[in-house]
Amino acid sequence: PLSVFIIFFLQQTFEIFLINVVAKHPCARNVLHVYYDDEYQTLFRYSANSGSGAVYRFINAFGPNHRLTQWLILNLAFTFFTAIPVYIWYLYKPANAIFDVLCFVWGCWNGANFYIEVFSRRYADRRSVRRPEPLPPADKADAAVAPAADAEEP
């Protein structure tokens, strides 16, 4: 787990240096549009300006001067809480095996649904097969099938 935090620290340091120091320099203005171009969205910029949600409230809790600090704290907490399960799965092989099987089954289910949906759509489009119309509501379907109440039975 210590290596996770070292990698996190190096990545965050490099990102902050690149965006807040290098990108501000006039020579980098034409190359790195991150700082000067308001249309260019970074995750920090989007989260700080989205206007709703827990991340927005946390980042802006102490005002705009402390947004970057709050962003770093939030990222550190996220890194910590996502690193805990990795350590648990490393120590406990049955938990790791259960998680692996769960991921495999979930991936197979999503992949199968994707292929069925995509290929059935392509087949229907290629063959110009009309998709079945949805069934009418139950009350209308019963009225269409049921015999009239005043009809005589033989």
Side-chain angles (χ1 to χ4, degrees):
L2 181 63
S3 63
V4 170
F5 294 108
I6 292 171
I7 292 170
F8 165 78
F9 178 74
L10 292 173
Q11 184 267 336
Q12 285 291 311
T13 304
F14 177 73
E15 179 182 344
I16 290 169
F17 179 74
L18 181 68
I19 292 174
N20 294 314
V21 177
V22 175
K24 284 183 182 181
H25 195 275
C27 294
R29 189 173 191 168
N30 294 330
V31 178
L32 298 172
H33 303 284
V34 128
Y35 187 76
Y36 290 103
D37 189 2
D38 291 335
E39 301 274 327
Y40 188 86
Q41 286 292 326
T42 61
L43 187 56
F44 169 69
R45 194 176 278 175
Y46 176 79
S47 300
N49 298 325
S50 65
S52 64
V55 174
Y56 172 80
R57 287 192 300 272
F58 184 80
I59 290 173
N60 292 296
F62 298 109
N65 292 339
H66 299 285
R67 283 181 180 170
L68 189 58
T69 305
Q70 291 294 100
W71 176 253
L72 291 175
I73 291 170
L74 185 67
N75 277 331
L76 183 63
F78 179 77
T79 301
F80 178 74
F81 286 117
T82 54
I84 289 173
V86 174
Y87 186 67
I88 292 171
W89 294 322
Y90 178 75
L91 291 178
Y92 302 104
K93 300 299 181 193
N96 186 12
I98 290 169
F99 181 72
D100 289 346
V101 169
L102 179 68
C103 288
F104 179 76
V105 169
W106 192 358
C108 288
W109 181 262
N110 286 337
N113 283 333
F114 170 78
Y115 279 110
I116 288 171
E117 181 67 25
V118 168
F119 289 124
S120 65
R121 236 187 237 151
R122 284 186 186 167
Y123 176 79
D125 291 344
R126 188 177 315 135
R127 301 283 185 201
S128 358
V129 175
R130 290 183 55 199
R131 294 183 183 212
E133 296 292 324
L135 294 173
D139 56 346
K140 290 182 182 177
D142 293 339
V145 175
D150 56 345
E152 294 180 18
E153 293 193 26

